[in-house]
Amino acid sequence: MHDASGNDGRTDNVTELPVGAESSVRQDRPTVSVIIPAMNEAKNLPYVAHRMPDGIDQIVFVDGNSSDDTVAVAQSLWPDATFVVQSRSGKGNALACGIEACSGDIIVMIDADGSTDPAEIPLFVKALTDGADFAKGSRFVDNGGSTDITTLRRIGNKGLNTIVNVAFHTKFSDLCYGYNAFWARHAELMELPPTQYSRAQWGDGFEIETVINVRLATAGIKITEVGSFEGPRLHGRSNLNAYSDGMRVLRTIRQEWQHWKAHRAAERHGVRAGSAVTVSAGELAG
């Protein structure tokens, strides 16, 4: 259980964002937008707000049609935030809706349940201002860790990691962790499902982390992993299901591999494919 000081193995609250080489016109550092997708997370939001560092330029709060007072609590905590109601259901759709509403140079994606620590945001921003295109959170590199992941999920994550690393020649250490940050100009490389569609789309669910990681890795951008400490959900029950979501991720890997293979074949034949995915991989490529 967390307390107000974050005494759960996490670092003390970081209150400053680093100055970067890529600057906004109006200031000497890039602007930062933080997406918080939430559904029935009213009890967890005060902790998330408490851990939020100073200097965030935009909070984009994406409501998943909550039945509790999530939105009211969020409005009291972040009265100047951008509020969005997602167009369908699922985390992937929520993130896609959030990205559309972001105005910052850098976009950070966190969870609303308190498991991802907003105080780590400056670490992700620094990775980007130091030269990375995509800062990928990992619980399994230096300074990373978790008090939430179960043995079954750990084994499953390791297996899925291995499949992706072999298939796409990458070196991910934590495929399914959703704490990530990237330069906004790279959002189009993710090719997220259009938000205006009313019917469910592939990529709307928890497979979104795999979709994003694979597509950015195969797009040839520079990826850096950032150690992140995952805590347990503070209140409520998780919507994750280790077996069904694991199988969905496995199907996602197969689809993404077929997509990448077809695109490479089209490039070899000089055909312009309707995809942003390219042959080369980023810094994580082996």
Side-chain angles (χ1 to χ4, degrees):
M1 179 64 68
H2 307 278
D3 60 25
S5 65
N7 186 21
D8 58 359
R10 293 171 168 171
T11 58
D12 292 337
N13 198 15
V14 181
T15 58
E16 294 183 358
L17 292 172
V19 174
E22 298 209 21
S23 303
S24 112
V25 174
R26 298 176 301 280
Q27 54 188 14
D28 61 355
R29 66 168 179 82
T31 52
V32 178
S33 295
V34 177
I35 302 175
I36 307 175
M39 184 175 70
N40 299 331
E41 301 287 3
K43 292 182 178 180
N44 296 319
L45 296 181
Y47 176 82
V48 176
H50 169 74
R51 297 290 288 178
M52 191 69 66
D54 295 338
I56 301 300
D57 300 280
Q58 181 192 30
I59 298 290
V60 177
F61 192 87
V62 185
D63 177 49
N65 294 292
S66 297
S67 58
D68 65 0
D69 57 349
T70 287
V71 174
V73 172
Q75 289 173 336
S76 69
L77 294 168
W78 300 291
D80 297 325
T82 300
F83 288 88
V84 178
V85 177
Q86 68 179 99
S87 57
R88 295 187 294 274
S89 62
K91 184 177 182 180
N93 173 248
L95 291 175
C97 291
I99 288 172
E100 288 184 346
C102 286
S103 59
D105 303 313
I106 287 172
I107 298 175
V108 184
M109 304 183 299
I110 66 173
D111 291 334
D113 60 6
S115 61
T116 55
D117 188 3
E120 295 176 350
I121 289 174
L123 303 177
F124 287 79
V125 173
K126 186 177 187 302
L128 296 176
T129 58
D130 282 349
D133 295 305
F134 179 53
K136 165 92 183 80
S138 174
R139 297 162 289 185
F140 307 119
V141 297
D142 289 345
N143 300 318
S146 176
T147 56
D148 182 59
I149 191 169
T150 63
T151 300
L152 178 60
R153 285 172 54 206
R154 188 184 295 270
I155 293 172
N157 188 60
K158 185 175 182 179
L160 294 169
N161 261 327
T162 300
I163 295 171
V164 165
N165 289 338
V166 171
F168 299 98
H169 314 298
T170 55
K171 295 179 181 178
F172 287 121
S173 67
D174 197 356
L175 179 70
C176 299
Y177 192 46
Y179 201 161
N180 302 307
F182 55 94
W183 291 101
R185 64 177 181 270
H186 297 312
E188 63 181 16
L189 298 177
M190 300 176 185
E191 297 182 310
L192 300 181
T195 59
Q196 67 268 26
Y197 296 163
S198 58
R199 297 181 62 181
Q201 302 293 310
W202 188 259
D204 279 354
F206 284 112
E207 73 276 6
I208 188 62
E209 279 93 9
T210 303
V211 170
I212 289 174
N213 295 335
V214 168
R215 290 183 182 177
L216 292 185
T218 57
I221 67 173
K222 184 178 180 180
I223 300 175
T224 296
E225 289 194 327
V226 176
S228 177
F229 191 92
E230 177 192 40
R233 162 182 280 277
L234 299 180
H235 303 281
R237 296 181 59 185
S238 173
N239 293 318
L240 278 169
N241 181 286
Y243 177 77
S244 62
D245 288 320
M247 293 303 295
R248 190 173 180 89
V249 169
L250 190 60
R251 292 196 300 272
T252 300
I253 294 170
R254 182 180 64 184
Q255 287 202 352
E256 291 302 309
W257 186 79
Q258 292 173 340
H259 176 78
W260 185 46
K261 183 178 179 181
H263 187 81
R264 288 192 300 169
E267 284 192 333
R268 284 196 298 268
H269 290 86
V271 177
R272 181 180 177 83
S275 166
V277 179
T278 57
V279 177
S280 59
E283 190 176 76
L284 290 178

